[in-house]
Amino acid sequence: MLADLAVDEDYQKQGIGKQLIRETQKRIKDSCRIVLLAAPNANDYYPALGFESNPRGWVLNTPL
């Protein structure tokens, strides 16, 4: 399981995030999927890498 993946702002826009995702894809089985929660300012980034939006995700803010 990959829990967190981030690129320091000073190093963004150099293809590092794209390469980290590619390396992750190389190491998982064909039956696996990558599911992520994106920061709001990254919502335009992931579709460009082939990710598709999925409305079946849920978030529970705590405490109630």
Side-chain angles (χ1 to χ4, degrees):
M1 176 168 81
L2 176 66
D4 291 298
L5 179 66
V7 177
D8 187 290
E9 284 186 47
D10 293 339
Y11 296 93
Q12 291 178 1
K13 301 190 187 298
Q14 297 181 35
I16 296 169
K18 186 183 295 186
Q19 188 61 36
L20 288 170
I21 292 169
R22 285 183 184 143
E23 292 298 326
T24 301
Q25 287 177 296
K26 286 182 192 176
R27 288 165 172 76
I28 61 176
K29 296 179 181 179
D30 290 341
S31 61
C32 294
R33 300 291 179 261
I34 297 175
V35 178
L36 65 86
L37 297 174
N41 61 349
N43 282 337
D44 293 333
Y45 176 71
Y46 292 104
L49 298 178
F51 282 84
E52 297 175 9
S53 180
N54 187 323
R56 297 194 61 183
W58 302 91
V59 176
L60 176 63
N61 292 316
T62 58
L64 294 176

